[in-house]
């Protein structure tokens, strides 16, 4: 029995599992921080406790956090593209 093809398949699945674990970690740690900030800034912007200059400052923070979130999403896209595998299809 030639197990080379099956071995390659198992290796590819293990690589994909590692990629998915890395993406899951990024989502639970790197995405949560800027998203929490964005949600807090939006709540403050909708409240009446901020004056116009404070709202302008919050908008700057919102822009920074949005860019941070965008960078993390780009990182996830890159990781997921690098982790593509050829699906094993038995003959």
């Amino acid at each position: 029995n030639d197990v080379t093809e099956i071995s390659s398949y198992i290796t590819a699945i293990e690589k994909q599992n590692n990629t998915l674990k890395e993406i899951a970690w990024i989502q639970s740690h790197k995405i949560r921080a800027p998203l929490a900030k964005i949600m807090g800034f939006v709540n403050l912007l909708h409240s009446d406790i901020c004056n116009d200059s404070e709202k302008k400052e919050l908008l700057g923070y919102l822009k920074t956090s949005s860019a941070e979130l965008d960078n993390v999403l780009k990182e996830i896209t890159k990781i997921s593209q690098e982790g593509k595998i050829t699906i094993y299809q038995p003959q």
Side-chain angles (χ1 to χ4, degrees):
N1 292 333
D2 184 14
V3 295
T4 305
E5 190 174 350
I6 293 171
S7 179
S8 295
Y9 175 70
I10 291 170
T11 301
I13 292 293
E14 289 171 345
K15 181 180 176 185
Q16 184 180 37
N17 284 343
N18 288 335
T19 300
L20 292 173
K21 285 178 187 178
E22 185 177 358
I23 290 170
W25 184 89
I26 290 170
Q27 288 179 335
S28 67
H29 293 85
K30 288 187 170 184
I31 288 181
R32 189 67 197 145
L35 180 59
K37 290 180 210 174
I38 289 168
M39 292 167 60
F41 298 147
V42 168
N43 285 335
L44 285 171
L45 288 167
H46 281 287
S47 73
D48 292 331
I49 61 172
C50 295
N51 61 38
D52 287 342
S53 65
E54 291 170 330
K55 286 184 180 186
K56 186 175 181 178
E57 185 177 357
L58 285 171
L59 286 172
Y61 294 146
L62 186 58
K63 183 178 179 181
T64 300
S65 293
S66 298
E68 184 180 334
L69 185 56
D70 185 49
N71 287 334
V72 174
L73 293 173
K74 287 176 184 174
E75 179 182 352
I76 290 172
T77 300
K78 180 181 175 190
I79 290 169
S80 65
Q81 288 174 347
E82 290 172 353
K84 286 185 180 177
I85 64 168
T86 303
I87 301 301
Y88 169 72
Q89 297 177 350
Q91 303 298 330

